[in-house]
Amino acid sequence: MVVLDLRRLRFLREFEERGTLGAVASALGYSPSAVSQQLTVLEKEVGAPLLEKAGRGVRLTDAGRLLAQHARVLLTAAEAATADLAALSGEVRGTVRAGGVQSATRHLLVPSLSRMAAEHPLVRMEVSELELEQALPGLRLGSVDLVISDEYDGHPRPRPAGMRFAPLLSEKLLVVLPAAHRRAASGAPVSLADLRDEVWVSSDPTTGHHAMIVGTCRSIGGYEPDVRHHSNDADVQLALVRHAAAVALLPLLNLPAPDPALAYRRVAEADLGRRLFTVTRDAPLSPALAAFLTVVTDQAASRTSDR
């Protein structure tokens, strides 16, 4: 009878998801040789080759792909069993690994940590700044438990199978201009078409925020924006508006209290918005993760009521 080791099955699932031994090693904190050794032991346990040479690397054999599919089911079942046992004990303990886009991490995840520490001191919290695409492999495999992601009007995010998406917060997008800008004087909404000749700042070109700015300027303004500056840090974007006379398009959560150097204006042509949502695996929640989701949801509600 074959006895399967869940830890080694996780190595196989990680390889199926990430594609290289180096990526698996980086994700799990092992050396590539240690990952290779664990998979070699798994091959001996099942009595079939799981990896084969492919150029300079390796890939899954037919047996490897088959076992990886079963590993996905077994690991999901083990996670559900762990969650059920934790709920049965009545204690809220364990580790929650959460991440999110920069604004959500700063204004929702981080402020939630103090309440978690006070109400659930046995829960270990780990928080990182993560984009959804960056976090999906970890979410699928269990190394990340919760991600707060975003999507902009006209730019929906994909909804991969096996994930649970829940709305968290909706907010407006505002044009951010230098206070001395000619379009800021009246206080009226600003037409994107009138910003054709401006220098823009956005998040990294791989992000939804960058895609939103480019797509919105094309569809509403009728032009290709001159996006010269990039930063995923909203404070850096605002500094570029102040000191480099750039123009930004940011959600309310990113905007500080009134700043005499900045002007916030609605978009004249459309009511643009952004939605934040939580993403978890479509599986039973551990008591620790359920508790943290409650705290984060309350934090988001308090941000909404403050506006």
Side-chain angles (χ1 to χ4, degrees):
M1 182 180 69
V2 175
V3 178
L4 296 174
D5 185 299
L6 287 178
R7 186 168 62 93
R8 295 192 184 101
L9 288 178
R10 184 169 295 283
F11 280 99
L12 187 67
R13 272 288 290 126
E14 289 276 354
F15 183 81
E16 180 192 39
E17 184 72 32
R18 301 182 190 276
T20 69
L21 295 175
V24 174
S26 177
L28 298 181
Y30 289 81
S31 68
S33 62
V35 173
S36 179
Q37 288 169 10
Q38 291 297 317
L39 292 174
T40 298
V41 172
L42 184 60
E43 287 182 324
K44 292 178 180 177
E45 290 175 343
V46 301
L50 303 175
L51 301 175
E52 61 185 5
K53 289 284 187 180
R56 296 184 177 180
V58 292
R59 65 187 175 195
L60 290 174
T61 62
D62 289 342
R65 284 189 290 273
L66 178 64
L67 185 57
Q69 293 173 9
H70 286 291
R72 191 179 310 129
V73 175
L74 291 169
L75 290 167
T76 299
E79 182 179 4
T82 301
D84 288 344
L85 288 170
L88 191 63
S89 74
E91 278 193 332
V92 180
R93 62 167 63 237
T95 299
V96 174
R97 304 169 187 86
V101 294
Q102 194 251 12
S103 57
T105 301
R106 175 177 293 181
H107 299 292
L108 299 179
L109 292 178
V110 171
S112 298
L113 296 181
S114 56
R115 177 175 159 188
M116 277 298 291
E119 296 181 2
H120 305 290
L122 299 179
V123 176
R124 172 188 169 93
M125 293 299 311
E126 299 178 7
V127 170
S128 304
E129 186 179 325
L130 292 170
E131 290 285 336
L132 179 60
E133 292 79 6
Q134 178 188 7
L136 274 176
L139 270 170
R140 290 192 187 101
L141 295 164
S143 58
V144 177
D145 303 303
L146 164 68
V147 172
I148 300 179
S149 192
D150 60 0
E151 65 182 6
Y152 297 89
D153 289 346
H155 300 272
R157 292 273 195 177
R159 300 290 198 271
M163 298 291 147
R164 184 182 298 150
F165 293 76
L168 186 62
L169 184 150
S170 296
E171 56 184 346
K172 299 297 183 184
L173 293 175
L174 298 180
V175 176
V176 186
L177 305 166
H181 193 282
R182 67 190 188 287
R183 297 295 178 188
S186 68
V190 173
S191 169
L192 285 181
D194 291 337
L195 301 178
R196 172 185 301 272
D197 298 323
E198 302 296 335
V199 171
W200 286 80
V201 55
S202 82
S203 297
D204 188 90
T206 62
T207 62
H209 180 255
H210 176 85
M212 177 274 297
I213 286 180
V214 172
T216 300
C217 288
R218 286 173 179 168
S219 61
I220 294 178
Y223 60 91
E224 193 74 19
D226 181 7
V227 185
R228 297 188 196 179
H229 311 299
H230 299 92
S231 175
N232 289 346
D233 190 324
D235 287 345
V236 174
Q237 292 194 35
L238 293 171
L240 285 162
V241 176
R242 292 187 192 96
H243 302 293
V247 172
L249 186 57
L250 290 168
L252 285 173
L253 202 59
N254 286 114
L255 301 179
D259 184 327
L262 301 173
Y264 309 143
R265 298 290 182 265
R266 300 283 286 271
V267 175
E269 296 95 336
D271 226 8
L272 300 178
R274 177 181 81 153
R275 288 162 300 285
L276 293 178
F277 49 88
T278 60
V279 189
T280 57
R281 287 180 297 285
D282 191 11
L285 302 179
S286 70
L289 179 54
F292 188 57
L293 271 172
T294 297
V295 173
V296 170
T297 301
D298 289 348
Q299 180 66 26
S302 71
R303 296 288 305 195
T304 302
S305 63
D306 287 343
R307 294 174 192 182

